Amino acid sequence: MMEEQSASYTVDDALMSSGFGKFQILILSYAGIGLIAEAMEMMLLSFVGPSVQLEWKLTSHQESMITSVVFVGMLIGAYSWGVVSDNYGRRRGFLFTAIVTSGAGFLSSFSPNYLSLISLRFLVGIGLGGGPVLGSWFLEFVPAPSRGTWMVVFSAFWTVGTIFEASLAWMVMPKFGWRWLLALSSIPSFLLLLFYAITPESPRFLCMKGRTDEAVDVLEKMARLNNVPLPSGRLVSDKNIELDEVSGSSESTTLLTGAEESDSIDKDEGSDFGGFKSVGKLLAPKMIRATLLLWMAFFGNAFAYYGIVLLTSELSNGNRICAKEEVESVHSNNASLYKNVFISSFAEIPGSLLSAMVVDRYGRRLSMASMLFTSCVFLFPLVFSRAEILTTISLFGARLCIAASFTIVYIYAPEIYPTSVRTTGIGIASSVGRIGGILCPLVAVALVHSCHQTTAIILFEIVVFLSGLAVSFFPFETKGCRLNDTEVDMSMS
């Protein structure tokens, strides 16, 4: 028995022996392109909305809908692609997202009218909803001790995307207009399709589905590229280990035969097309507390993050209009908008550095809660003051903290769920976050438009504070823990 155990290894053992080498760098680069594509498609909303409103004489509600339909699409896409990835593989999940995002993003640049534009941006949102799939895929190739740090590095690609989009808008919009910006912003999604053929499937997913030989092939390629040997013996999954432990726990327990064990895996492989089985697991007594608290955290982070991005331009415009000052020319307003968004995007660089410093040192829960409560402090002066310099400093600091918190919640989420429902769990949590993104422009930004800045900021304060409380009650810390292939009880601390 001892010899049999010593002659086997898990995916975690293989990752630990391999370390973070050339193979993981390539995986990081590919996943990072996907995150850059998502960031660019989201950030362009800050520029396209005002330009389209002027060109097509839209109402403020119609302008808000250009942003909101993207989040509605992301809500649907995040759930759908999560279910697809947990049932048919991570690769298939991000293949479909890249096809939908790149195709609809490029076609939206040719939109002849408002209805066609919001329809195509809705499809872009469905594609963007698959973003968490790439994060889970990358996470499953990273050794546990350095997982937090490398996930922060991965999240930094979002910042690269936001800065690149702001720069692109600054160069393209004044001369060529919003259609060229939409077309050029779809290029990173096409790059995902270009290199798709050489991307490997997650060995953890393959093991969970009983496709051990395929998982070994991927791990062998990883070991060769990293120039290290794999552990000796045969590859086993956590599920097989758990079955072995259960079967040997008492004499009265019936031992599983090879056929029965295989049948167990086959049942797990059964189709869950609607995702109802996976959702049932997420809301089971073992997981429901963590799931509901995670939903609150995602909602608050998304509401605050996208709200602060939109408020960067809306607050200055709102202050000028509400103060009945002379309205500047369209060109001057646009130049100011590009500059403000460009500068505020740099807040995410120290945000990423801060999250990298604290996530593996102080843990996920304390880091997230601290960032959320600190962002409340930064936003608080805006309740009373409308001074431009204070507004800039407050929004810069709040975006820094929210960016750091958002980074960490995307690290924590895949760590608390087992492999069988990991992308579904993240997808649904991300969908709840998209609800925050949908409500933000329709509620908070609308308040600024109607000269109710104080009410808008108080609303942000309440949402962010409640999210911080939710994070404080997360059931357990995942710092340095291995990823689970089987369900664990998360109902108690």
Side-chain angles (χ1 to χ4, degrees):
M1 185 69 177
M2 291 295 292
E3 290 179 5
E4 187 177 339
Q5 287 181 346
S6 63
S8 66
Y9 66 94
T10 65
V11 172
D12 280 301
D13 295 330
L15 293 176
M16 287 291 291
S17 67
S18 172
F20 198 98
K22 293 180 181 178
F23 184 87
Q24 281 79 7
I25 293 294
L26 292 174
I27 297 292
L28 172 63
S29 301
Y30 186 85
I33 292 172
L35 200 57
I36 287 173
E38 182 180 352
M40 290 178 67
E41 291 287 355
M42 294 305 303
M43 285 301 298
L44 65 79
L45 298 172
S46 299
F47 310 108
V48 170
S51 295
V52 172
Q53 182 186 30
L54 286 171
E55 183 175 326
W56 289 346
K57 304 297 188 291
L58 304 179
T59 66
S60 59
H61 175 71
Q62 287 174 316
E63 181 195 352
S64 296
M65 283 299 295
I66 297 173
T67 299
S68 293
V69 294
V70 176
F71 285 105
V72 173
M74 293 177 80
L75 188 154
I76 297 170
Y79 171 73
S80 304
W81 303 130
V83 172
V84 168
S85 298
D86 278 336
N87 283 277
Y88 303 106
R90 311 315 193 209
R91 291 180 80 246
R92 289 190 186 180
F94 58 71
L95 169 64
F96 293 129
T97 66
I99 291 172
V100 174
T101 304
S102 59
F106 183 72
L107 289 175
S108 64
S109 65
F110 298 96
S111 300
N113 52 48
Y114 174 72
L115 183 60
S116 61
L117 178 63
I118 62 171
S119 298
L120 286 166
R121 298 314 295 176
F122 171 74
L123 291 177
V124 169
I126 290 179
L128 292 176
V133 175
L134 276 168
S136 296
W137 175 71
F138 169 66
L139 183 84
E140 292 176 352
F141 285 100
V142 182
S146 58
R147 198 165 57 226
T149 301
W150 282 109
M151 282 300 288
V152 170
V153 174
F154 166 66
S155 300
F157 281 90
W158 175 280
T159 304
V160 173
T162 61
I163 294 172
F164 187 72
E165 184 66 23
S167 305
L168 187 65
W170 206 343
M171 292 185 292
V172 170
M173 288 283 285
K175 293 183 179 179
F176 303 104
W178 59 270
R179 294 183 186 276
W180 274 93
L181 183 66
L182 287 178
L184 293 172
S185 297
S186 66
I187 291 176
S189 295
F190 280 110
L191 293 178
L192 290 179
L193 296 176
L194 186 63
F195 295 104
Y196 173 78
I198 61 173
T199 57
E201 181 57 271
S202 162
R204 192 178 296 275
F205 169 83
L206 294 171
C207 266
M208 188 265 295
K209 291 296 184 182
R211 295 156 60 184
T212 310
D213 291 341
E214 295 175 60
V216 170
D217 288 340
V218 174
L219 293 174
E220 286 177 346
K221 290 176 183 176
M222 176 185 72
R224 282 197 302 272
L225 199 56
N226 289 355
N227 199 26
V228 295
L230 281 177
S232 59
R234 64 184 181 90
L235 176 65
V236 295
S237 68
D238 281 351
K239 178 179 290 186
N240 292 339
I241 293 172
E242 186 181 72
L243 289 172
D244 289 341
E245 289 174 351
V246 170
S247 64
S249 60
S250 68
E251 294 181 3
S252 61
T253 304
T254 304
L255 294 174
L256 288 171
T257 64
E260 288 171 326
E261 191 169 321
S262 176
D263 182 58
S264 172
I265 293 174
D266 289 340
K267 286 180 181 178
D268 188 66
E269 279 192 281
S271 177
D272 180 24
F273 184 73
F276 299 114
K277 187 193 301 182
S278 298
V279 175
K281 288 182 180 179
L282 297 176
L283 296 177
K286 287 183 178 181
M287 295 189 187
I288 189 168
R289 177 183 168 189
T291 294
L292 294 179
L293 290 173
L294 189 67
W295 289 356
M296 291 179 65
F298 264 87
F299 180 92
N301 273 287
F303 188 94
Y305 178 84
Y306 294 114
I308 290 169
V309 170
L310 292 171
L311 286 177
T312 301
S313 58
E314 297 293 345
L315 274 181
S316 57
N317 289 336
N319 289 343
R320 187 165 51 248
I321 294 167
C322 294
K324 294 183 173 57
E325 294 180 11
E326 184 178 350
V327 179
E328 301 171 15
S329 68
V330 172
H331 178 76
S332 176
N333 281 341
N334 284 341
S336 177
L337 170 62
Y338 306 143
K339 181 183 70 174
N340 289 341
V341 175
F342 182 80
I343 292 172
S344 66
S345 295
F346 277 93
E348 298 192 20
I349 296 177
S352 296
L353 293 174
L354 182 60
S355 55
M357 291 168 57
V358 301
V359 67
D360 278 329
R361 179 175 297 181
Y362 301 109
R364 283 50 163 159
R365 287 189 301 187
L366 179 59
S367 300
M368 268 189 285
S370 300
M371 293 300 100
L372 288 166
F373 291 138
T374 305
S375 69
C376 284
V377 174
F378 274 112
L379 287 173
F380 188 70
L382 298 180
V383 175
F384 308 102
S385 174
R386 287 169 175 76
E388 185 174 348
I389 183 64
L390 185 59
T391 298
T392 302
I393 293 172
S394 294
L395 291 177
F396 187 93
R399 182 163 177 179
L400 185 157
C401 294
I402 289 296
S405 175
F406 219 164
T407 297
I408 298 168
V409 78
Y410 267 108
I411 297 171
Y412 184 78
E415 291 178 333
I416 66 173
Y417 288 126
T419 302
S420 60
V421 293
R422 181 166 294 125
T423 55
T424 301
I426 303 167
I428 294 177
S430 182
S431 293
V432 174
R434 304 316 172 192
I435 295 174
I438 294 166
L439 293 177
C440 180
L442 295 177
V443 179
V445 176
L447 287 171
V448 177
H449 269 274
S450 58
C451 301
H452 292 95
Q453 176 180 319
T454 299
T455 307
I457 299 301
I458 289 174
L459 178 60
F460 274 96
E461 290 276 37
I462 292 171
V463 171
V464 175
F465 183 77
L466 290 177
S467 299
L469 284 181
V471 168
S472 302
F473 288 104
F474 274 151
F476 64 93
E477 178 57 60
T478 58
K479 180 183 71 172
C481 297
R482 54 184 279 178
L483 293 179
N484 289 303
D485 289 337
T486 55
E487 295 176 37
V488 294
D489 192 342
M490 294 184 286
S491 60
M492 298 181 295
S493 313

